Amino acid sequence: LATIMATLYVGRQLEGGAAAINEAGSQRMRAYRIAYLLEQSVREHEKRAALRAEAQEVLDAFEHALGLLEAGDADRPLFLPREAAVREGMQHVRGHWENEMRPVMLDALQSQNLAVDPVLLQRLDVAVRGFVSTINDLVLLVEKSNARHTDLMWIYQNALVGLAMLGTLLLTLVLNAMVISPVKQIGRASCRERV
């Protein structure tokens, strides 16, 4: 029972980590999407307001998803592994977002000066590349954790098979000692009494 419970726990960890990897991957795409929309808003002046509104929507979704990565979502399940390195990686992602990405994105969203926009886009490009690198680092940490959990799952599953085989052997021996042997002895004694 303990082995089964441990296997279920590790399986849940793998599921949560896989969802976190997917969500982090989505964050990379959202970062690129925001940068693309802001760049298009500089090039296509007539669509500027609509493109910036869409960029703001993606930015809001980005911040919501970043909060989910940090806090987790037990219903999905989505959560980062509890390992210190992963938590530090998430703090690094959050710090990069708060200190570099978000300010540049907000500046680009709120800019009314078309002459400054190319400079902001250049800063945004650098920020996005750096941010995506930190997200990749976090994904690698979660993947390593999932690899360890997969190895642990393999060990638990093999232990479960071994325990099942041992239990079957012990049950056979106990059944033989407590039921089959006594019945055979009764049968032999019964045969001797008839003779």
Side-chain angles (χ1 to χ4, degrees), residues 40-123:
Q40 291 302 105
S41 76
V42 170
R43 292 183 179 170
E44 299 179 29
H45 300 292
E46 65 280 351
K47 296 181 183 177
R48 187 177 181 103
L51 289 166
R52 286 187 175 199
E54 187 178 347
Q56 182 64 54
E57 288 176 17
V58 178
L59 181 72
D60 294 342
F62 186 98
E63 288 188 324
H64 175 72
L66 196 59
L68 274 179
L69 268 175
E70 284 179 311
D73 183 0
D75 293 335
R76 280 178 69 178
L78 178 150
F79 49 86
L80 291 171
R82 294 186 177 101
E83 297 165 15
V86 175
R87 294 297 170 185
E88 288 174 19
M90 185 62 221
Q91 288 174 351
H92 189 65
V93 167
R94 173 55 83 173
H96 199 283
W97 169 253
E98 293 292 336
N99 300 324
E100 296 178 40
M101 274 284 284
R102 190 170 189 276
V104 173
M105 285 185 170
L106 290 177
D107 286 348
L109 273 171
Q110 297 166 356
S111 173
Q112 299 299 321
N113 185 349
L114 295 177
V116 174
D117 285 348
V119 174
L120 286 174
L121 289 178
Q122 183 64 32
R123 284 180 45 213

